Amino acid sequence: MGAQKSIHAGKAKIDVNVDLTHKLCASLMLTPFRSTGSPLSLVIGSLYIKHPNLFGGSEKLDVSLDKGLYDSNVLIAYRRPRPEWLAQQSFVIQHSISPEIGVHGVPMDNFSRSGSGGVNLSRLAVGLDLNEPASTKWSSTTSIKFEHIRPLSDDGRSISRDFDGFPVTCSGSSHDNMVVLRQESRYAKANDHSFCRLSLQIEQGIPVLSKWLIFNRFKFIASKGVKLGPAFLLTSLTGGSIVGDMAPYQAFAIGGLGSLRGYGEGAVGSGRSCLVANNELTFPLHKMLEGAIFLDFGTDLRSGIHVPGNPALRQGKPGCGVGLGYGLRFKSQFGHFQVDYAINAFQQKTVYFGISNLAS
C-alpha cells in the first residue's frame, strides 16, 4: 500500500511518495538485523521539493529526502543559470546513513544472503558538481567535495573498530575526512538493433591536510546490447582498482543484485580490485511480460588480502563466484517489476525481487 501526492505552493512543487508495502517485502526477503523501534521506522518513502526560481533569477533549488528501513539520504542542490555552452554548476550538500553490508556483512546460507556486520556509514558531503555540455556521444561530470565519514553501530553509536577489533576507518579514529576530485565520462551509441555504453570513473583524494586520505580509485562499466530476432542479449563488464590510502568501506564489494546474482550483497568478496561479467538474454512472453536467463561471474583478482583488516578472509568469502538463473520482467506504464531465481556455485538458491518506478 502506498501513496503519491504532488503539491504546488506558489512556484515550488512538492512531490510526496510514501510506500507501506516495504514492510511485507522486507519480512520475506531480508534478514532482520536491527531493532525497528517505532512504527514509523517501518515506513519507506520519499519527499521532493523543487523551486524553479528561488531568488527571481531562474535559480533552482532541489531538496530530496529518501528513507528506507535501515538507510536514509538527504540531498540539497542549488543551481544558478549559466549559458548552455558552459559547464552547469550545482552546489550540493548531502547526508546519508546506510548499512555497510557489502564489505562488513556476514555471509549466510552458503553465501546466498548477507547479515549485518554491525557497521553502518554516516556520510556528509559538501561541494560542487560541474556538468559539461554533452557532445554527440560523450558526456562528462566533474565534482569536488569534502567528505566526512563516520562509522556507526547498529544502535547509532560512533565506532572505530568492528566486532573482531579491526579498524573500520583509514585513520584508525572514529571518522575519516577527505577532499575528493571525481570525474565521470560516459559514452553511448545506439541504433534500432544494438547499443553500447561505456562509463569511466576516476576519484582522486587530495591531501589538503596531512591526515586526510590520499588515493586514486578507478572504475569502468562497459555494456553491449544486441537484438537477436525477438530476443535481446545484454552483456556487461565492470572493473576497478584503488591505490593509496584506503578504508575498508572503499573496497569493491562483489555479490548481490546488480553485481553477481545467486549471492548475498558482498558475499563473494571485497578487494582493492574487482572484475564482474554479466550476461542476460531476455525474450518476450506477452505484451508486457518478458522471460530472462542469465549467467554472472565475479572475482576480486586476489586483492582481498590487501584491504585493511582483510574482512573478506575473516568472513570466509571465496573471492570469486559464478551465478546463473532465470527470471521474469513485467513492464507497465506504472513501473517495472523484476523477479530473478538464481543459484550460486555452492548450489544455494536465491530469489531476488526488484521494483523500479517509471514516474519522475
Side-chain angles (χ1 to χ4, degrees):
M1 180 175 63
Q4 296 182 354
K5 181 68 175 179
S6 293
I7 304 172
H8 291 270
K11 294 183 178 180
K13 180 183 179 183
I14 302 175
D15 294 328
V16 182
N17 178 21
V18 179
D19 187 353
L20 304 178
T21 62
H22 197 75
K23 178 180 178 181
L24 175 60
C25 294
S27 65
L28 295 175
M29 298 165 53
L30 301 177
T31 302
F33 59 86
R34 188 188 305 172
S35 175
T36 55
S38 68
L40 288 178
S41 63
L42 298 176
V43 178
I44 72 167
S46 56
L47 172 67
Y48 300 96
I49 302 175
K50 301 180 181 180
H51 200 298
N53 192 18
L54 187 61
F55 300 117
S58 298
E59 301 90 348
K60 296 181 180 180
L61 177 67
D62 294 338
V63 180
S64 66
L65 168 63
D66 295 295
K67 180 188 176 300
L69 276 182
Y70 307 115
D71 60 333
S72 64
N73 183 66
V74 179
L75 176 64
I76 302 173
Y78 171 74
R79 302 175 179 87
R80 296 184 62 184
R82 304 189 75 195
E84 293 183 357
W85 61 87
L86 296 178
Q88 301 301 305
Q89 298 179 353
S90 300
F91 178 74
V92 177
I93 301 175
Q94 184 175 15
H95 179 260
S96 64
I97 298 177
S98 60
E100 182 46 82
I101 297 180
V103 175
H104 294 283
V106 180
M108 304 170 64
D109 296 339
N110 284 334
F111 303 93
S112 64
R113 295 187 296 129
S114 293
S116 171
V119 179
N120 305 267
L121 291 184
S122 171
R123 186 188 300 264
L124 173 66
V126 180
L128 191 67
D129 287 341
L130 299 174
N131 293 308
E132 299 290 339
S135 64
T136 304
K137 298 176 182 178
W138 284 94
S139 63
S140 65
T141 301
T142 303
S143 67
I144 182 166
K145 295 178 181 177
F146 166 77
E147 296 187 7
H148 175 84
I149 299 174
R150 186 163 56 98
L152 305 173
S153 64
D154 285 344
D155 57 9
R157 294 180 296 105
S158 293
I159 57 175
S160 60
R161 297 182 178 275
D162 60 19
F163 286 154
D164 297 325
F166 289 86
V168 291
T169 61
C170 180
S171 64
S173 67
S174 61
H175 65 272
D176 282 332
N177 291 324
M178 64 191 83
V179 171
V180 181
L181 177 64
R182 181 180 293 107
Q183 183 173 42
E184 180 178 3
S185 298
R186 296 173 296 273
Y187 172 85
K189 180 181 179 181
N191 55 43
D192 294 338
H193 304 285
S194 66
F195 76 86
C196 60
R197 298 192 186 108
L198 176 64
S199 173
L200 303 174
Q201 306 170 18
I202 299 177
E203 297 180 5
Q204 177 67 57
I206 302 175
V208 177
L209 297 178
S210 59
K211 294 184 179 180
W212 291 11
L213 276 64
I214 309 172
F215 62 90
N216 186 278
R217 193 175 194 266
F218 170 77
K219 182 180 179 180
F220 73 88
I221 304 174
S223 59
K224 174 76 173 181
V226 180
K227 192 173 183 180
L228 303 175
F232 192 82
L233 176 64
L234 174 63
T235 64
S236 65
L237 184 66
T238 302
S241 186
I242 181 173
V243 295
D245 297 337
M246 178 186 182
Y249 55 77
Q250 292 178 300
F252 293 93
I254 307 169
L257 184 64
S259 175
L260 204 166
R261 287 162 288 190
Y263 295 82
E265 183 179 352
V268 175
S270 54
R272 276 187 175 263
S273 303
C274 78
L275 195 64
V276 177
N278 306 100
N279 302 276
E280 180 171 297
L281 180 68
T282 58
F283 44 89
L285 298 176
H286 190 263
K287 183 179 180 180
M288 296 187 296
L289 184 65
E290 292 181 338
I293 55 175
F294 55 84
L295 173 66
D296 300 334
F297 170 79
T299 174
D300 65 2
L301 300 174
R302 298 186 177 180
S303 65
I305 59 175
H306 302 299
V307 176
N310 199 353
L313 178 64
R314 287 188 283 121
Q315 295 153 7
K317 297 180 180 181
C320 64
V322 177
L324 57 93
Y326 57 88
L328 294 173
R329 311 285 185 264
F330 177 77
K331 300 180 180 180
S332 73
Q333 59 180 341
F334 303 106
H336 289 182
F337 181 76
Q338 172 180 334
V339 180
D340 285 335
Y341 178 88
I343 185 170
N344 62 29
F346 298 91
Q347 304 298 309
Q348 183 64 42
K349 305 174 183 64
T350 306
V351 178
Y352 297 102
F353 296 90
I355 301 176
S356 60
N357 196 341
L358 295 181
S360 57

Coordinates of all heavy atoms in Angstrom, one line a residue, residues 236-238 254 259-261 268 275-279 295-299 301 319-323:
S236 N 27.7 -7.2 -20.0 CA 28.4 -6.0 -19.4 C 29.6 -6.5 -18.6 O 29.6 -7.7 -18.2 CB 27.4 -5.3 -18.5 OG 27.0 -6.1 -17.4
L237 N 30.6 -5.6 -18.5 CA 31.8 -5.9 -17.8 C 32.1 -4.7 -16.9 O 32.1 -3.6 -17.4 CB 32.9 -6.1 -18.8 CG 34.3 -6.5 -18.2 CD1 34.2 -7.9 -17.5 CD2 35.4 -6.5 -19.2
T238 N 32.3 -5.0 -15.6 CA 32.6 -4.0 -14.6 C 33.9 -4.3 -14.0 O 34.1 -5.4 -13.6 CB 31.5 -3.9 -13.6 OG1 30.2 -3.6 -14.2 CG2 31.8 -2.8 -12.6
I254 N 31.6 -7.5 -4.1 CA 31.1 -8.4 -5.2 C 30.0 -9.3 -4.7 O 30.2 -10.0 -3.6 CB 32.3 -9.2 -5.8 CG1 33.4 -8.3 -6.2 CG2 31.8 -10.0 -7.0 CD1 34.7 -9.0 -6.6
S259 N 25.1 -7.1 -9.3 CA 26.5 -7.5 -9.3 C 26.6 -8.9 -9.7 O 26.7 -9.2 -10.9 CB 27.2 -7.2 -7.9 OG 28.5 -7.7 -7.9
L260 N 26.6 -9.8 -8.8 CA 26.7 -11.2 -9.1 C 25.5 -11.9 -8.4 O 25.5 -12.1 -7.2 CB 28.0 -11.8 -8.6 CG 28.5 -13.1 -9.3 CD1 30.0 -13.3 -9.0 CD2 27.7 -14.3 -8.9
R261 N 24.5 -12.2 -9.2 CA 23.3 -12.8 -8.7 C 23.5 -14.3 -8.2 O 24.4 -15.0 -8.7 CB 22.2 -12.8 -9.7 CG 21.6 -11.4 -9.9 CD 20.8 -11.2 -11.2 NE 21.7 -11.3 -12.4 CZ 21.3 -10.9 -13.6 NH1 20.0 -10.6 -13.8 NH2 22.2 -11.0 -14.6
V268 N 30.6 -12.6 -2.2 CA 31.6 -13.2 -2.9 C 33.0 -12.7 -2.5 O 34.0 -13.5 -2.3 CB 31.5 -12.9 -4.4 CG1 32.7 -13.5 -5.3 CG2 30.2 -13.5 -5.0
L275 N 36.5 -7.5 -10.9 CA 36.1 -7.7 -12.2 C 34.8 -8.6 -12.2 O 34.8 -9.6 -11.6 CB 37.2 -8.5 -13.0 CG 37.0 -8.4 -14.6 CD1 37.1 -7.0 -15.1 CD2 38.1 -9.3 -15.2
V276 N 33.7 -8.0 -12.8 CA 32.4 -8.7 -12.8 C 31.9 -8.7 -14.2 O 31.8 -7.6 -14.9 CB 31.4 -8.0 -11.8 CG1 30.1 -8.6 -11.9 CG2 31.9 -8.0 -10.4
A277 N 31.5 -9.9 -14.7 CA 30.9 -10.0 -16.0 C 29.4 -10.5 -15.9 O 29.1 -11.4 -15.1 CB 31.6 -11.0 -16.9
N278 N 28.5 -9.8 -16.6 CA 27.1 -10.2 -16.5 C 26.6 -10.5 -18.0 O 26.9 -9.7 -18.9 CB 26.2 -9.1 -15.9 CG 26.7 -8.7 -14.5 OD1 27.4 -7.7 -14.4 ND2 26.4 -9.5 -13.5
N279 N 25.8 -11.5 -18.1 CA 25.2 -11.9 -19.4 C 23.8 -12.2 -19.2 O 23.5 -13.0 -18.3 CB 26.0 -13.0 -20.1 CG 27.4 -12.8 -20.3 OD1 27.8 -12.2 -21.3 ND2 28.3 -13.2 -19.3
L295 N 23.8 -15.4 -16.7 CA 25.0 -16.0 -16.2 C 25.9 -14.9 -15.8 O 26.2 -14.0 -16.5 CB 25.6 -16.9 -17.2 CG 27.0 -17.5 -16.9 CD1 26.9 -18.5 -15.7 CD2 27.7 -18.1 -18.1
D296 N 26.3 -14.9 -14.5 CA 27.2 -13.9 -13.9 C 28.5 -14.5 -13.4 O 28.5 -15.7 -12.9 CB 26.5 -13.1 -12.8 CG 25.2 -12.4 -13.2 OD1 25.1 -12.1 -14.4 OD2 24.4 -12.2 -12.3
F297 N 29.5 -13.7 -13.5 CA 30.8 -14.2 -12.9 C 31.5 -13.0 -12.3 O 31.5 -11.9 -12.8 CB 31.7 -14.8 -14.0 CG 33.2 -15.0 -13.5 CD1 33.5 -16.1 -12.8 CD2 34.2 -14.1 -13.8 CE1 34.8 -16.3 -12.3 CE2 35.5 -14.3 -13.4 CZ 35.8 -15.4 -12.6
G298 N 32.2 -13.2 -11.1 CA 32.9 -12.1 -10.5 C 34.1 -12.6 -9.7 O 34.1 -13.7 -9.2
T299 N 35.1 -11.7 -9.6 CA 36.3 -12.1 -8.8 C 37.0 -10.8 -8.3 O 36.8 -9.7 -8.8 CB 37.4 -12.8 -9.8 OG1 38.6 -12.9 -9.0 CG2 37.7 -11.9 -11.0
L301 N 40.2 -10.6 -8.0 CA 41.5 -10.7 -8.5 C 42.6 -10.9 -7.4 O 43.7 -10.4 -7.5 CB 41.8 -9.4 -9.3 CG 40.9 -9.1 -10.5 CD1 41.2 -7.8 -11.1 CD2 41.0 -10.2 -11.5
G319 N 36.1 -15.1 -2.8 CA 36.9 -14.3 -3.6 C 36.5 -14.3 -5.1 O 36.9 -13.4 -5.9
C320 N 35.8 -15.4 -5.5 CA 35.3 -15.5 -6.9 C 34.1 -16.3 -6.9 O 33.9 -17.1 -5.9 CB 36.3 -16.0 -7.9 SG 36.8 -17.7 -7.5
G321 N 33.2 -16.2 -7.9 CA 32.0 -16.9 -7.9 C 31.3 -16.9 -9.2 O 31.6 -16.0 -10.1
V322 N 30.3 -17.8 -9.4 CA 29.5 -17.9 -10.6 C 28.1 -18.0 -10.2 O 27.8 -18.8 -9.3 CB 29.9 -19.1 -11.5 CG1 29.0 -19.2 -12.7 CG2 31.4 -19.0 -11.9
G323 N 27.2 -17.3 -10.8 CA 25.8 -17.4 -10.6 C 25.0 -17.5 -11.9 O 25.3 -16.9 -12.8

